[in-house]
């Protein structure tokens, strides 16, 4: 069931003051120190990895377009709690957090940022094209909405093979305006494909506010019009994300067709490292930062008596060491030699295959 909060009136589009949306009311849960500490560590790994990427980009150690995940960590970490290794994940160009949450080692992701051969895409993809077939992580797709048809294809293949797998497809609110979403959603619902659509609604498609692009801004309600179950969830609350994702994955795996989660979140940094970010009011950004998913969880754990300063410091130290190791390995990794540039691009000559 989707909940509506209305669209804008007709006339000249105006930027609405985004509010922090709430997902459906969830029952109280019994805190688990071990589980919550694991969630916190996973989010901290993504946060500190991205912050290190800012430093490396500023130092010209990594180049190209870089889209940071800072602020959206609860989405990747919460959703991946519901998935297992048999499931497939299709991502976007803002996928560092998804890749790390999926279990791709930080050194493989960092080496890819450096364009080194030890990267998860052998240095061929860079920031926007992380890929790991062994972990069923199928991109990293630079085209907005480009991963959606791929997700439908993967799900269809699993269905035809009789595999009880789920394909989880991440995409942003900007992709909701693309034909690929509507075509894929229609076919997935029509054929009952085992797809979990995860829309990371951070309120901006690059520099365009949601209300300037969509007449109806309740994306979950619009997704429900295709006949699939759809919810809007607070994407800044990792517990709410995990609960919604577990319910949706369980239903999809049971053969109840595709499900849609609109995870309402916010990126604390600009669209990309090239973006001057002049389209968002500073007070809006600061308001959302007060709902930081990382500090929100750590503060809640402290209040519940599940976290002390020494434990948090130890987690921070472990994460820092892991990222420092990833940077060292990336810096030491070899560049691809020019004679290998056609590898993975063209087939080998017949005589070379004999």
């Amino acid at each position: 069931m989707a909940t509506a909060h209305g669209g804008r009136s007709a006339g000249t589009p105006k930027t609405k003051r985004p509010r922090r949306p709430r997902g459906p009311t969830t029952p109280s849960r019994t805190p688990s120190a071990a589980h919550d500490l694991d969630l916190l560590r996973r989010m901290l790994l993504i946060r500190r990895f991205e912050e290190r990427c800012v430093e490396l980009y500023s130092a010209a150690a990594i180049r190209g377009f870089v889209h940071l995940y800072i602020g959206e960590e609860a989405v990747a970490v919460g959703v991946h709690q519901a998935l297992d290794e048999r499931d497939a994940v299709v991502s976007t160009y803002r996928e560092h957090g998804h890749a790390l949450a999926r279990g791709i080692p930080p050194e493989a992701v960092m080496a890819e940022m450096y364009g080194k051969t030890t990267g998860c895409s052998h240095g061929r993809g860079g920031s926007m094209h992380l890929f790991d077939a062994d972990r069923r992580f199928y991109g990293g797709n630079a085209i907005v909405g480009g991963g959606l048809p791929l997700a439908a294809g993967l799900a269809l293949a699993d269905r035809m093979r009789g595999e009880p797998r789920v394909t989880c497809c991440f995409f942003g609110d900007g992709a909701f305006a693309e034909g690929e979403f509507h075509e894929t959603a229609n076919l997935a619902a029509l054929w009952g494909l085992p797809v979990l659509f995860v829309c990371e609604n951070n309120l901006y498609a690059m520099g365009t506010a949601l209300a300037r692009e969509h007449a109806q801004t309740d994306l979950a309600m619009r997704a429900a019009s295709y006949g699939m179950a759809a919810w809007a969830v607070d994407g800044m609350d990792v517990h709410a994300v995990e609960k919604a994702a577990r319910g949706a994955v369980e239903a999809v795996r049971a053969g109840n067709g595709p499900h849609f989660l609109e995870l309402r979140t916010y990126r604390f940094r600009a669209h990309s490292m090239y973006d001057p970010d002049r389209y968002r009011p500073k007070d809006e950004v600061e308001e959302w930062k007060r709902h930081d998913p990382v500090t929100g969880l750590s503060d809640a754990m402290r209040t519940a008596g599940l976290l002390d300063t020494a434990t948090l410091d130890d987690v921070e130290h472990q994460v820092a060491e892991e990222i420092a190791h990833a940077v060292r390995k990336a810096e030491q990794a070899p560049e691809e030699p020019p004679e290998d540039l056609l590898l993975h691009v063209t087939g080998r000559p017949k005589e070379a295959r004999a």
Side-chain angles (χ1 to χ4, degrees):
M1 178 182 297
T3 56
H5 57 76
R8 64 171 174 80
S9 58
T12 303
K14 296 181 180 179
T15 302
K16 293 180 179 178
R17 173 56 61 95
R19 59 184 176 84
R20 179 174 178 247
R22 296 287 182 178
T25 301
T26 57
S28 60
R29 58 183 295 277
T30 302
S32 165
H35 181 64
D36 282 3
L37 189 62
D38 181 63
L39 295 176
L40 181 61
R41 187 193 181 284
R42 290 172 186 273
M43 289 198 292
L44 277 171
L45 176 63
I46 296 171
R47 176 67 59 88
R48 302 300 179 235
F49 184 95
E50 297 292 67
E51 290 172 346
R52 187 71 176 111
C53 285
V54 173
E55 298 172 359
L56 294 168
Y57 186 92
S58 300
I62 58 178
R63 296 179 173 86
F65 283 96
V66 175
H67 304 81
L68 301 172
Y69 203 65
I70 296 173
E72 301 185 27
E73 296 89 352
V75 173
V77 172
V79 169
H80 275 86
Q81 295 302 302
L83 303 172
D84 59 38
E85 62 182 11
R86 61 185 160 170
D87 299 323
V89 175
V90 180
S91 187
T92 71
Y93 51 77
R94 196 183 306 279
E95 87 277 31
H96 307 162
H98 303 152
L100 292 170
R102 184 61 178 171
I104 300 178
E107 55 265 33
V109 179
M110 187 62 76
E112 192 61 37
M113 303 290 288
Y114 271 75
K116 298 296 187 69
T117 57
T118 54
C120 57
S121 298
H122 306 294
R124 297 290 187 93
S127 171
M128 292 191 285
H129 297 281
L130 304 177
F131 190 95
D132 190 325
D134 291 339
R135 292 178 174 82
R136 302 205 77 206
F137 187 84
Y138 299 111
N141 292 277
I143 298 173
V144 174
L148 286 154
L150 300 179
L154 288 165
L156 178 60
D158 286 337
R159 158 81 78 70
M160 295 175 71
R161 295 189 184 106
E163 298 282 357
R165 294 170 167 173
V166 173
T167 296
C168 176
C169 184
F170 291 93
F171 56 98
D173 51 286
F176 207 95
E178 298 290 327
E180 288 94 337
F181 169 74
H182 300 281
E183 294 164 351
T184 303
N186 179 64
L187 280 179
L190 183 65
W191 295 342
L193 298 181
V195 180
L196 174 61
F197 295 105
V198 177
C199 179
E200 295 185 286
N201 181 3
N202 61 28
L203 303 177
Y204 289 89
M206 295 185 68
T208 304
L210 184 70
R212 289 183 174 270
E213 184 181 16
H214 296 277
Q216 172 53 260
T217 58
D218 192 322
L219 304 184
M221 183 176 70
R222 292 172 62 191
S225 71
Y226 286 101
M228 69 179 78
W231 293 273
V233 181
D234 183 356
M236 306 300 274
D237 181 344
V238 68
H239 291 145
V241 173
E242 179 183 2
K243 181 179 185 299
R246 286 188 183 278
V249 167
E250 181 180 349
V252 173
R253 204 183 304 280
N256 294 322
H259 281 53
F260 178 99
L261 296 178
E262 178 194 348
L263 301 183
R264 297 173 177 175
T265 184
Y266 199 82
R267 52 177 167 79
F268 295 165
R269 302 289 300 224
H271 169 71
S272 72
M273 290 296 293
Y274 280 104
D275 180 10
D277 199 14
R278 295 173 181 167
Y279 46 84
R280 303 189 298 182
K282 291 183 179 180
D283 62 336
E284 175 190 303
V285 178
E286 293 306 313
E287 169 62 26
W288 278 85
K289 285 183 177 180
R290 285 199 284 270
H291 304 290
D292 187 318
V294 179
T295 57
L297 177 58
S298 62
D299 289 347
M301 292 176 68
R302 286 179 182 275
T303 300
L306 302 178
L307 182 68
D308 56 34
T309 300
T311 301
L312 180 59
D313 288 346
D314 184 55
V315 171
E316 286 277 18
H317 176 73
Q318 292 175 18
V319 167
E321 285 295 309
E322 194 170 353
I323 294 172
H325 172 75
V327 173
R328 286 195 298 270
K329 295 288 286 184
E331 290 175 343
Q332 296 167 2
E335 303 275 358
E336 185 173 31
E339 57 268 25
D340 288 351
L341 289 179
L342 292 182
L343 289 178
H344 316 300
V345 177
T346 62
R348 291 179 298 164
K350 183 177 180 180
E351 59 272 15
R353 297 196 299 267

